[in-house]
Amino acid sequence: MKYGICWTLFFIVVSMVVAGCTTTGEMKSAEVERCKEEAQGNDGNKSLVCLDEIIKRDNGNAIAFFSRGKIYYAKDDYDKAIENFSQAIKISPNNAMLYGARGLSYYKKNDLDHAISDYSQVIKLDQNRASAYLMRGGAYAERKEYDLAVSDYTQALRLEPNNSDSYSSRGVAYIGLIGKDESYADKAIADFNQSIKLNPKNADVYVLRAGVLYAKGELEKAIEDYDSAIKLDPSYKEYGEEFRKLVGKRKNP
């Protein structure tokens, strides 16, 4: 599954937490906002120059380091993003969301051990942050530690029971466990059902459910799911044609 973060909202929330309510914090935040305003419509380079100047004047400005890390992240320069998020963490070590930002950068580098460590720190600081369990579950799933992934996704759902991504992600983790016990196929389908109920426009989940239905021999339902996926996302059409061929061969071996 794909995971994303609304960086605009993320920036606002983290900036508020780091800055706090002090006058100094408000001034630091205002300086960073000025950098954003000056860089409207470009690739972030003007913002970097502006943030570099702020950091030279004040190397204790966690918001500036976070903002610079965010720009490097957007440029896919995850090493520099991590460097800046780490500096922000040194300044503001109890800000859970800074660890989340760095954890996501480690995840993008496929450094799953460090990603899991950072997501775990987020949870240590804020046990009610569902997104941290969701992201750590994704890292566990990448390491094929599906039991741990299921546990994290389940906790995420306890905190946010209407999160369609948590259901679909747990469904994928259940697929990874089918080799241990075939009953996990039914659990996967149940989670995909709930994900689709909450978000019926996600084509990916129909495709995932189609694969499990095919494995269970429920071929007509599998075809229906693929047709639904194609209606939502025409890019699946080519794969859908290949899927129909597989179903046809299974029907008529």
Side-chain angles (χ1 to χ4, degrees):
M1 301 297 293
K2 297 176 181 179
Y3 305 94
I5 285 183
C6 178
W7 276 105
T8 302
L9 178 60
F10 195 38
F11 172 84
I12 292 169
V13 174
V14 175
S15 296
M16 289 172 63
V17 174
V18 175
C21 299
T22 65
T23 302
T24 302
E26 290 171 357
M27 290 173 62
K28 290 182 177 182
S29 183
E31 280 190 301
V32 173
E33 285 297 320
R34 176 177 58 79
C35 291
K36 284 178 61 182
E37 291 171 4
E38 288 181 359
Q40 291 295 328
N42 71 77
D43 62 0
N45 289 330
K46 286 185 179 179
S47 281
L48 283 175
V49 171
C50 182
L51 290 166
D52 287 346
E53 291 174 356
I54 291 173
I55 290 168
K56 284 180 182 178
R57 293 197 307 270
D58 177 10
N59 64 3
N61 191 327
I63 303 170
F65 280 109
F66 166 76
S67 300
R68 194 166 68 175
K70 180 175 71 101
I71 293 171
Y72 283 124
Y73 179 94
K75 291 174 171 288
D76 298 333
D77 190 339
Y78 303 121
D79 288 325
K80 287 186 178 178
I82 289 166
E83 179 183 328
N84 279 273
F85 293 143
S86 295
Q87 194 62 36
I89 287 168
K90 287 181 182 178
I91 299 164
S92 185
N94 294 319
N95 186 322
M97 294 185 72
L98 293 176
Y99 291 96
R102 190 174 67 178
L104 186 61
S105 301
Y106 279 126
Y107 183 87
K108 289 289 190 177
K109 279 170 55 72
N110 202 35
D111 186 344
L112 300 178
D113 289 342
H114 280 103
I116 289 169
S117 177
D118 271 351
Y119 297 142
S120 296
Q121 184 64 20
V122 174
I123 292 165
K124 181 179 179 181
L125 291 167
D126 183 358
Q127 295 181 0
N128 294 318
R129 193 176 297 278
S131 60
Y133 289 100
L134 179 60
M135 295 304 295
R136 190 174 70 175
Y140 280 135
E142 286 288 328
R143 292 206 311 198
K144 303 189 186 305
E145 296 181 64
Y146 299 116
D147 288 315
L148 292 173
V150 166
S151 178
D152 270 359
Y153 293 142
T154 300
Q155 183 60 26
L157 285 165
R158 289 193 186 105
L159 294 167
E160 292 183 1
N162 293 320
N163 189 317
S164 63
D165 288 339
S166 293
Y167 276 108
S168 58
S169 297
R170 190 173 67 175
V172 173
Y174 280 139
I175 291 174
L177 291 169
I178 290 174
K180 286 185 177 181
D181 185 340
E182 291 184 1
S183 68
Y184 282 115
D186 292 327
K187 290 184 177 182
I189 289 172
D191 273 359
F192 295 145
N193 290 346
Q194 188 62 22
S195 181
I196 289 168
K197 181 180 179 181
L198 291 167
N199 180 15
K201 295 186 178 181
N202 189 337
D204 295 342
V205 183
Y206 288 94
V207 171
L208 289 166
R209 189 171 67 177
V212 182
L213 289 168
Y214 174 84
K216 285 173 59 67
E218 299 182 40
L219 304 182
E220 293 304 323
K221 288 183 179 179
I223 287 292
E224 288 175 11
D225 267 356
Y226 234 110
D227 287 344
S228 295
I230 292 168
K231 287 178 183 177
L232 292 167
D233 183 352
S235 69
Y236 273 117
K237 185 175 181 180
E238 182 180 347
Y239 298 107
E241 291 172 356
E242 292 299 317
F243 188 72
R244 281 184 176 276
K245 291 177 183 178
L246 284 174
V247 170
K249 288 179 181 178
R250 190 162 178 184
K251 283 182 175 179
N252 303 294

